[in-house]
């Protein structure tokens, strides 16, 4: 058995109040593929939509519970502040700015974060999203084999007073962008940023529980009194794609996140097999985590536990994947139900608003 080090994120699950609107935004506007249309297995009156790349490759999967009457959530300690989606180049990022703004979405950026460049906007439920460039990466201010070893103070030009906000806001692509061109392809999860009330404790936990490693210790470049730490799957050379978890450190804060619409419900990391997941479960129990039994999610198997600051974390197996119950060339086409819900299909279909 190899050591228990996750390869990175498997998926992120967010809360929507309107499944057709979410489909139009993530599918139509952002260009993700709907890879599965099903219901919440713990609440079958509600849609569970899965978006992704390449038939739902781990690390690219964005999922939504539809809770039509959910009140608006809010970020805070134990919650996720934003989800960043990866794009290859700054040029393609500017095309996204133009495409989103032409669709009436308010966008800020591109802001130079040093390690990547970032655009910010919100989905229709208020989930904060970012589009971040692939490079230049974490080795711009530390050696590639010694990431996270020093506390990096960002240069003045990257802090609010040092940025030319008006010039940034004016920057956009000169032409309208009616279709998502291949260079604009959003490659799933670039990073996920949450908020903790104890960075040291959170770091110890993610390192011990998931085998993540610190890759950057710095400050929040919009709020320089707040520390901002990054963890990832890091082997002392490369930082794996789809693996960066970053946390703002609000030490001692009691501003706790509120679950609900526009908030992340949970984040999921990868286990490569059921055997690994079982070993992981034992390991988590020895750490004192409140880990659940294994749940069969049809497309993967899952265990859940809470991080010390309250965040709900899942470990999901890579397989069997989304082609287990429909052909890989028509994923997301039909409403799929697990066998034990098939008998209730007429009632379930009647209760769901068609996605069109
Ligand atoms: Fe970010
Ligand atoms: Fe999940």
């Amino acid at each position: 058995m190899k050591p228990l080090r996750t390869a990175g994120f498997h998926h992120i699950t967010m809360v929507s109040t309107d499944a057709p609107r979410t489909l139009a935004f993530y599918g139509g506007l952002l260009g993700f593929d709907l890879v599965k249309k099903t219901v919440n297995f713990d609440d079958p009156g509600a849609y569970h939509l899965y978006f992704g790349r390449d038939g739902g490759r781990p690390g690219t999967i964005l999922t939504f519970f539809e809770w039509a009457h959910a009140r608006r959530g809010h970020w805070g300690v134990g919650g996720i502040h934003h989800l960043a989606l990866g794009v290859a180049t700054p040029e393609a990022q500017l095309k996204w700015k133009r495409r989103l703004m032409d669709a009436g979405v308010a966008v800020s950026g591109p802001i130079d974060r040093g390690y990547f460049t970032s655009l910010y906007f919100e989905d229709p439920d208020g989930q904060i999203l970012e589009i971040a460039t692939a490079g230049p990466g974490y080795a711009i201010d530390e050696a590639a084999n010694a990431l996270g070893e020093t506390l990096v103070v960002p240069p003045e030009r990257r802090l609010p007073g040092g940025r030319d906000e008006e010039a940034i806001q004016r920057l956009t692509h000169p032409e309208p962008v009616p279709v998502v061109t291949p260079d604009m392809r959003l490659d799933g999860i670039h990073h996920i940023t949450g908020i903790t009330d104890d960075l040291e404790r959170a770091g110890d936990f993610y390192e011990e529980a998931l085998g993540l490693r610190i890759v950057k210790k710095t400050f929040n470049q919009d709020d320089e009194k707040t520390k901002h730490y990054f963890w990832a799957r890091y082997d002392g050379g490369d930082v794996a794609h789809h693996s960066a978890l970053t946390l703002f450190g609000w030490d001692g804060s009691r501003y706790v996140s509120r679950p609900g619409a526009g908030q992340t419900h949970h984040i999921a990391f990868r286990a490569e097999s059921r055997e690994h997941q079982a070993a992981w479960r034992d390991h988590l129990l020895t750490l004192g985590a409140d880990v659940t039994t294994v749940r069969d999610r049809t497309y993967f198997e899952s265990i859940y536990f809470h991080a010390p600051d309250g965040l709900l974390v899942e470990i999901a197996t890579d397989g069997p994947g989304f082609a287990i119950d429909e052909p890989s060339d028509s994923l997301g086409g039909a409403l799929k139900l697990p066998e034990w819900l098939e008998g209730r299909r007429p009632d379930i279909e009647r209760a769901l608003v068609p996605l069109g």
Side-chain angles (χ1 to χ4, degrees):
M1 185 74 62
K2 286 188 252 167
L4 294 170
R5 285 191 295 145
T6 184
F9 289 111
H10 185 284
H11 65 268
I12 179 170
T13 294
M14 297 170 274
V15 178
S16 155
T17 55
D18 185 333
R21 187 175 69 176
T22 294
L23 177 61
F25 190 84
Y26 286 88
L29 189 59
L30 295 181
F32 283 99
D33 301 320
L34 183 67
V35 296
K36 194 63 62 184
K37 183 164 62 176
T38 183
V39 294
N40 183 337
F41 292 2
D42 299 327
D43 173 15
Y47 275 119
H48 191 181
L49 302 183
Y50 291 76
F51 296 88
R53 286 286 172 227
D54 310 319
R57 176 164 46 85
T60 72
I61 305 165
L62 318 178
T63 102
F64 293 86
F65 293 144
E66 185 202 38
W67 287 327
H69 303 293
R71 64 177 185 165
R72 179 82 180 255
H74 201 279
W75 44 262
V77 168
I80 294 302
H81 183 266
H82 65 269
L83 160 66
L85 304 167
V87 73
T89 65
E91 293 73 26
Q93 187 180 49
L94 277 190
K95 289 187 179 176
W96 277 112
K97 182 174 179 182
R98 180 66 192 257
R99 178 171 169 83
L100 289 163
M101 291 190 77
D102 286 353
V105 177
V107 180
S108 61
I111 298 175
D112 175 14
R113 297 308 194 185
Y115 316 111
F116 41 82
T117 304
S118 302
L119 283 186
Y120 299 94
F121 54 103
E122 292 183 3
D123 86 357
D125 282 293
Q127 170 78 48
I128 303 174
L129 298 173
E130 172 181 346
I131 290 178
T133 54
Y138 300 104
I140 60 161
D141 50 17
E142 289 178 291
N145 63 359
L147 296 178
E149 292 188 5
T150 53
L151 181 62
V152 177
V153 179
E156 203 66 34
R157 68 175 190 287
R158 296 211 309 257
L159 299 176
R163 301 198 293 250
D164 184 344
E165 303 288 354
E166 282 178 25
I168 289 170
Q169 217 38 50
R170 275 197 305 273
L171 207 57
T172 194
H173 188 73
E175 307 291 334
V177 184
V179 291
V180 180
T181 50
D183 57 313
M184 294 170 70
R185 179 184 160 94
L186 296 176
D187 187 33
I189 300 169
H190 179 290
H191 63 270
I192 296 174
T193 296
I195 301 171
T196 182
D197 56 349
D198 189 332
L199 270 178
E200 298 302 327
R201 185 189 61 193
D204 289 347
F205 181 77
Y206 286 110
E207 288 164 28
E208 275 192 79
L210 293 168
L212 296 176
R213 285 177 60 183
I214 188 100
V215 293
K216 193 62 64 185
K217 289 183 181 174
T218 184
F219 293 87
N220 180 345
Q221 296 177 34
D222 293 330
D223 170 16
E224 51 192 288
K225 290 189 188 70
T226 295
K227 281 188 181 156
H228 188 191
Y229 285 12
F230 294 59
W231 290 265
R233 167 66 184 256
Y234 170 55
D235 60 9
D238 291 326
V239 175
H241 286 154
H242 313 302
S243 80
L245 173 69
T246 99
L247 295 174
F248 296 140
W250 292 4
D251 281 5
S253 171
R254 294 195 192 153
Y255 189 82
V256 175
S257 67
R258 190 176 73 192
Q263 264 294 293
T264 295
H265 186 271
H266 64 270
I267 61 175
F269 290 91
R270 294 171 64 181
E272 61 190 66
S273 66
R274 293 164 90 168
E275 292 69 33
H276 255 97
Q277 187 182 56
W280 231 312
R281 189 169 178 277
D282 290 343
H283 175 61
L284 289 163
L285 286 170
T286 65
L287 294 179
D290 59 340
V291 60
T292 64
T293 53
V294 176
R295 309 276 164 84
D296 179 4
R297 300 311 191 191
T298 303
Y299 314 108
F300 43 83
E301 294 191 5
S302 301
I303 56 175
Y304 301 85
F305 54 99
H306 290 89
D309 46 40
L311 182 66
L312 182 60
V313 180
E314 172 182 352
I315 295 177
T317 54
D318 283 355
F322 296 98
I324 191 173
D325 62 357
E326 63 187 329
S328 55
D329 59 1
S330 60
L331 293 177
L335 179 71
K336 304 308 293 185
L337 298 175
E339 231 168 66
W340 51 276
L341 285 175
E342 273 300 341
R344 293 167 58 189
R345 179 178 279 273
D347 290 340
I348 288 172
E349 286 188 342
R350 229 187 333 271
L352 295 171
V353 178
L355 292 181

